[in-house]
Structures are given as structure tokens and as C-alpha cells.
Amino acid sequence: MSTSTAAGAMPAKTYVSIGQIKPLGAKLDEIPDAGGGCSSHGGEGKASCGSSGGPDDMPSEIWDKVKNHPCYSEEAHHHYARMHVAVAPACNIQCNYCNRKYDCSNESRPGVVSQKLTPEQAVKKVVAVASEIPQMTVLGVAGPGDSLANPKKTFDTFRMLQEQAPDIKLCISTNGLALPDHVDEICKYNVDHVTITINMVDPAVGEKIYPWIFWDHKRVTGYEAAKILHERQMLGLEMLTARGVLTKINSVLIPGINDEHLIEVNREVKKRGAFLHNIMPLISEAEHGTVFGLTGQRGPTAQELKAVQDACMGGANLMRHCRQCRADAVGLLGEDRSEEFTLDKIEQMEVVYDLDRRRAYQDRVETERQAQHEAKQEALAAAGAIEVADDLKVLVAVATKGGGRVNEHFGHVTEFQIFEVSAREALFVGHRRVDLYCQGGFGDDEQLPSVVKAINDCHAVLVAKIGGCPRDELLQAGIEPVDQYVNEFIEKAALDWFNDYRGRIASGAVVHQDRGDAQIRQGAFTGAAQAA
Ligand code: CLF
Ligand code: SF4
């Protein structure tokens, strides 16, 4: 197999392309409703409330659980932060995309080894972060190994934290092997959010991903290992659903191994009550030293990832804003403030855990969020009233530094948000990480080709400002730079641009052409990468 998609061309062989996959929605009639997901908890028949849903899409007790969890609510991730504590070093399985020298790639990008913590150190760190970042609402244990292969450390951390900071939501991520043994404890500590990484529901697929598991005091390999893992994952998921715990399924898309199979995974986890399904691209480079990295197994392109995600629409609700964060990540998704909170720095900090201050801050966040939500609904409602005969849809990249607005300079972007726009709606469909173009006040033209590749499937890029050189290069690549919607809400700006674009097509001023594929940036998102 070819090596992974390093700088340059798209892979010679594509496994998945739009149009080749049968959408899952078509098969929904065959799926018995097992009482899971928000649509089956009284979601009024809406098939896709998921992480993009709001209070009108789900029962209030579910909304209360997700409204300020940045991973379970797409809207919340613009406003609320999470942090991970690396208290779980051991793992009970081996994944071919993991190298134990690095963090667990189920929930974190390989790249930088975490500072491993004892539960006492972890709790101290959480309280310190919570006193500095009042919008930090969720503590997750996501490695660097498996949270439930280290149950004592994981649950000791939760127990002590609940005593000191009861307002912080608890979250874990696990490969699922040990999950059924710990459901009681998960409920005892009010862990309301559990992520299970499920990459297959067929052991024949699983044995290509997992060389071994450690089970019943011995190492089990091959098909048998994958079969045990699969059965434990399904059992654990069913048990959590029965106890009312919200579950999210993470799946790593591995081209040629489980790409189309993930549609089956989506169907099976929906049946068992999963709240969300997060399909993530495989990160695979030889320098990570993983089996897949060393054997040249590549990750998916942006369009391959989107094709599988789109094919799952109508099944278990999708999360599309995952940042594959590190096991010691701190901050909003997509930012990494872990360097500010190393153990030695915490020792120097004056820590005051002020619950009232946290609540007051979060009240202000809610007011701002409400304004954004209303502006978005207004823009979508206005667009919904437009009658159009065709179903033209395009992708646009948006430069934003938050607040749901077009407010970032092209040169300062480390991550574009991607929206799929039609005459009636502008839907968030993901993000694309890029290397910073502006270095120390000057544009670095060597970075431009990689930025263009990352958004090459987009027709336009909405920015607050852009220099002459990148503007020309984007135009040459067929991507329209748009800087006339500065500070506008993204959905409104995207819809206005799209309607203008349609007008230009109708008048003959432009000829609409399909775009190509785009590249998913491989490599760690670290503070260093951000500042580089
Ligand atoms: Fe952490 Fe995971 Fe909880 Fe979120 S992350 S344990 S559910 S608090 Fe979130 Fe990070 Fe994606 Fe995970 S963006 S890798 S989905
Ligand atoms: Fe690595 Fe996580 Fe897989 Fe364990 S579950 S092998 S830590 S990726």
C-alpha cells in the first residue's frame, strides 16, 4: 500500500467516494427503535438532533446533560471548555494505530507524551484550571491508555473531584473491553458521558485493527480477540443505555479496512441507544511508529471522511466537531492550554475555586450564546423561505476566532470551519486544521499550498481580511476569497454569499464547477504547532 498522504498529491487509490455509498437513512425502516439517541427519547421524530441539536430537539433532562458539554453539543463547543487528566497510563488492548510512547489515539492525536498524574495531582490540576477558566465545565479521563484499564486511578480522581468541585461534569473514554465490569461505578459517580471507541461490529474487520487484547489473565490474538472485544463493547453500550448514561461512539475511519463498514457500525450502535457517533480520520505517519504508520496505511482524505459521515445521516446522530485532542488537553476544543497548567506552574498559582464566579461567568456565556442561536435561526428561516428549483450545494471555509462570526484574518487561521451551503441552509460539517500562514507579521508563501490543499474542496473562503498574495493564489486555485461579511454571523454570511453566487451563475458572470478533494492535516495539534 502507498505511504500516507504526505505533502503533495492525493492518494492514487481512493476507497470511498460520494455517490458510491448507500445512505443509511434509506434503511432506517429496518431498524428497531431500542429507545436510544435523542430522537427516540421524545425528539419528535427528528432524525438528526445529535450534537447540532438544541433544546427544542430533545427532552429537557437530556438537554441539561449536553448543553454545556463541548463534545456532546456542537453549539456548546464554541463557548465551553473541557480538560483531560492523564491518570490512566495502562491499556488492555493493542490498536494498530497506537504507539504507547504517545497518547491514546482513540481520543488524542499522537505527538506529545503527556505528563502522567496521580489522582491527587489530577484533582489539584482540575481545581486550578477551573478557577482560571470558568467556562471549563467537563473533566474527561481519556488516557494516555484506557480509563477503565486503570479503574482505581480513574474513579479515585472522580470521587475526590466531586467533593471539591461538584459542578464539573465527569466524562470517560474507553475501548470498552472492561466497560461492563464498571457500569455500577460509572453510575455511582454520576459519570453522565461515556465514549466507547468502536471501529467494527464484525470480528473479521476487527482482527485487521487489533492484534491482541489482554483478557482473562492472558493475551488473546486474532479473530478471537476481536470477537471478545466486540461482544464486550456491545454489552457495555447496552448496559449504559439501560441506566440512562449518554454514550458517544468514536470510530476511526481506516480506508480499505472499515470505511463502508462504519455505516454498519452506525446502525448497530443506534440500535443500542448511542446518543452520538463520531467518525474520525485515522492519523497515520511512519514517524508515529504505529503498525499502520509503518506499513503505509494512510488516513482518509477530507471527502472520503465526509462521504462516510454523510452516508450515516439518518442513523445515529453525528458529531462532526471532534478535534482528536490529547489525553492532557485543556481549553476549548481546538485550542490547547495544557502548557499553562503543568504541575510546577500550578504550585505557583493561587487557587480559589469560586463557584459563584463560575456560575456568573457561565450566565454571561449563555446570554451571548442565545443571541448567536437566535441570529442563526433567523438566517436559516429567511433562507428556508426561498424557492429554488435545483439542489446546488457547495462547501465554504470560514475564518473565525469564535462568537459564531466571520472575524479572523486569513493569515491567523490555524483551523477553518467548513460549512455546506445550499439556498436553504448552512450546515457545519467539520473543520480543517492548517499551518499558520502569517509568521511574525509576514505571510509565509511556503505555507500557502498546504492551506489551499486543506480547503481545496471549498468554493469560497470567508475571512475578515486577506492579503493580496494569498488572495491571488486562492483565486488561481479556484477558491473565492470573500471579505465583505466581516463580523457577521457565519450562517447569515454563508447564505448571503451563496445567494450572490447563484445570482452570478444565473447571469453568466461565473460558471459553476465542481471542486476536487482536500487533505486532512496529519500531525499533532500542539501549542508549538499553533505558534509555529
Ligand atoms: Fe474528553 Fe472525550 Fe469526554 Fe470530550 S474529548 S473524554 S467526550 S471531554 Fe471530544 Fe476531544 Fe473529540 Fe474526544 S473533541 S477527542 S470527542
Ligand atoms: Fe492505544 Fe487507546 Fe488503543 Fe489502548 S485503546 S491501544 S491506548 S489507542
Side-chain angles (χ1 to χ4, degrees), residues 88-100 102-108 142-146 173-176 197 199 210 212 252:
C91 192
N92 46 7
I93 70 172
Q94 179 64 55
C95 306
N96 277 335
Y97 47 75
C98 176
N99 177 350
R100 292 290 158 67
Y102 301 116
D103 295 337
C104 170
S105 9
N106 278 347
E107 281 282 330
S108 55
D146 183 77
S173 163
T174 175
N175 60 45
T197 298
N199 296 319
Y210 305 103
W212 57 260
V252 181

Side-chain angles (χ1 to χ4, degrees), residues 118-300:
T118 64
E120 289 76 15
Q121 289 170 325
V123 171
K124 202 167 175 183
K125 179 172 175 177
V126 178
V127 174
V129 171
S131 67
E132 284 287 308
I133 308 180
Q135 70 273 43
M136 193 282 285
T137 47
V138 178
L139 167 70
V141 175
D146 183 77
S147 60
L148 298 179
N150 304 262
K152 180 154 175 20
K153 289 178 180 151
T154 297
F155 291 115
D156 278 356
T157 305
F158 288 163
R159 179 178 44 75
M160 288 190 281
L161 185 66
Q162 271 192 338
E163 285 159 14
Q164 293 191 42
D167 65 316
I168 293 180
K169 284 186 160 69
L170 304 176
C171 192
I172 57 170
S173 163
T174 175
N175 60 45
L177 183 65
L179 176 58
D181 303 333
H182 297 290
V183 168
D184 282 346
E185 259 177 314
I186 285 170
C187 295
K188 178 175 158 193
Y189 292 110
N190 296 321
V191 180
D192 258 340
H193 302 81
V194 175
T195 294
I196 316 169
T197 298
I198 300 180
N199 296 319
M200 53 86 200
V201 288
D202 175 355
V205 175
E207 66 178 329
K208 296 179 190 156
I209 303 170
Y210 305 103
W212 57 260
I213 65 169
F214 197 75
W215 175 247
D216 204 14
H217 309 291
K218 56 182 185 297
R219 191 177 279 213
V220 182
T221 59
Y223 186 92
E224 180 61 15
K227 182 167 180 288
I228 295 168
L229 180 62
H230 163 60
E231 287 168 359
R232 298 285 291 175
Q233 289 176 335
M234 295 298 117
L235 176 62
L237 172 56
E238 286 166 8
M239 290 170 76
L240 290 174
T241 299
R243 303 282 288 267
V245 178
L246 285 188
T247 48
K248 172 167 69 63
I249 307 306
N250 279 2
S251 298
V252 181
L253 195 167
I254 310 162
I257 292 185
N258 72 348
D259 34 26
E260 294 198 35
H261 180 65
L262 289 182
I263 301 169
E264 187 66 25
V265 171
N266 184 288
R267 189 184 355 258
E268 291 301 320
V269 301
K270 180 185 165 83
K271 255 198 240 176
R272 291 169 175 81
F275 180 73
L276 276 182
H277 190 193
N278 171 25
I279 300 174
M280 317 184 288
L282 171 72
I283 307 288
S284 180
E285 290 286 346
E287 63 262 32
H288 298 152
T290 61
V291 170
F292 282 155
L294 294 171
T295 55
Q297 170 65 53
R298 68 172 178 86

